[in-house]
Amino acid sequence: AQGLIAARELGLATTPLDVSDPASIARLVHSLDGRKLGLDVLVHNAGVAFNGFDARVARDTLAVNFFGVLHLTEALLPYLRPHARVVIVSSGVGDRKALAPALRARFADGNLDRGQLAELMRSFVTAVADGHHSADGWPSSAYAVSKIGATMLAQILARELADDPRQLRFNALCPGWVKTAMGGPQATRDVAEGADTAVWLATQTPTGPNGGFFRDRKPAAW
């Protein structure tokens, strides 16, 4: 409902999308085909955070915050125009320091590809379900793990598609603690402040950053 209101105010069209539903992604792709549309900017802003921690929370969190980003990006890659920018709204909560050293080293591997990253994410869900995620080196936070994966995905996509003639750009960011339905009224930033770095990355020049993680328009450690 909020999307419809915003689109009407801006004179834009809107298409509902559930990034965790393959059928919903397929409908979006069909819509783009039908209207002969390409994309200059793709901002992954869908996200969830649940109370508690168990296998269901782990599965449902990663379904949106990581696999939703992965599957939607892969579905829309053919529709990205030259110099298109893909922006992943991640989080500083997704800090690799939360991982045990051996697991952290796997994420630091410069040869890690999309498929291997997806398998790591699935292994976390399995480990939570089997009760040995801590022993395997994972934190007890599905949200943190999902955002580690999302930030890593931006780096991998930038590397894997570096030779694409369209010169695409993939970056992730931390918006800070924002007053949204997820962030709550006690958050320290309003929506405009939270969106600032995403808009900045979405409007970069063709030679802008690629494969980075940013906060307040500056590179950030994670």
Side-chain angles (χ1 to χ4, degrees):
Q2 290 177 317
L4 289 170
I5 292 170
R8 187 160 53 246
E9 289 175 349
L10 296 169
L12 303 175
T14 182
T15 299
L17 173 65
D18 178 350
V19 299
S20 67
D21 180 4
S24 185
I25 293 176
R27 285 192 294 271
L28 174 62
V29 170
H30 181 73
S31 174
L32 293 174
D33 276 336
R35 290 184 282 174
K36 301 291 191 283
L37 292 176
L39 300 174
D40 296 301
V41 174
L42 170 59
V43 179
H44 290 283
N45 192 51
V48 294
F50 299 106
N51 293 324
F53 180 71
D54 56 23
R56 180 192 61 80
V57 168
R59 182 190 66 244
D60 292 351
T61 302
L62 267 66
V64 175
N65 296 359
F66 174 75
F67 287 105
V69 178
L70 173 64
H71 295 156
L72 182 60
T73 300
E74 290 180 334
L76 296 181
L77 276 177
Y79 299 88
L80 297 180
R81 292 182 174 132
H83 308 301
R85 285 134 299 193
V86 177
V87 179
I88 299 173
V89 180
S90 188
S91 173
V93 173
D95 190 335
R96 286 178 292 188
K97 295 186 182 69
L99 304 171
L103 192 55
R104 195 183 315 150
R106 296 183 66 184
F107 280 88
D109 184 351
N111 294 315
L112 187 71
D113 61 27
R114 267 181 276 170
Q116 292 167 333
L117 177 61
E119 282 304 310
L120 276 172
M121 295 290 103
R122 292 189 190 98
S123 74
F124 165 71
V125 176
T126 300
V128 173
D130 292 344
H132 54 71
H133 71 280
S134 293
D136 290 352
W138 298 101
S140 295
S141 170
Y143 186 80
V145 171
S146 73
K147 293 303 185 177
I148 291 172
T151 302
M152 191 75 239
L153 182 59
Q155 292 190 4
I156 290 174
L157 287 166
R159 185 178 71 243
E160 290 184 347
L161 295 165
D163 294 330
D164 191 298
R166 292 172 293 177
Q167 296 182 291
L168 307 173
R169 290 291 184 268
F170 302 87
N171 290 287
L173 70 112
C174 173
W177 187 20
V178 186
K179 291 183 176 71
T180 62
M182 180 188 293
Q186 302 304 315
T188 56
R189 296 186 171 194
D190 61 29
V191 170
E193 291 172 313
D196 179 73
T197 300
V199 174
W200 175 72
L201 286 170
T203 54
Q204 284 293 301
T205 65
T207 57
N210 193 25
F213 177 62
F214 296 85
R215 179 175 176 133
D216 297 332
R217 302 192 180 196
K218 296 176 183 178
W222 65 284

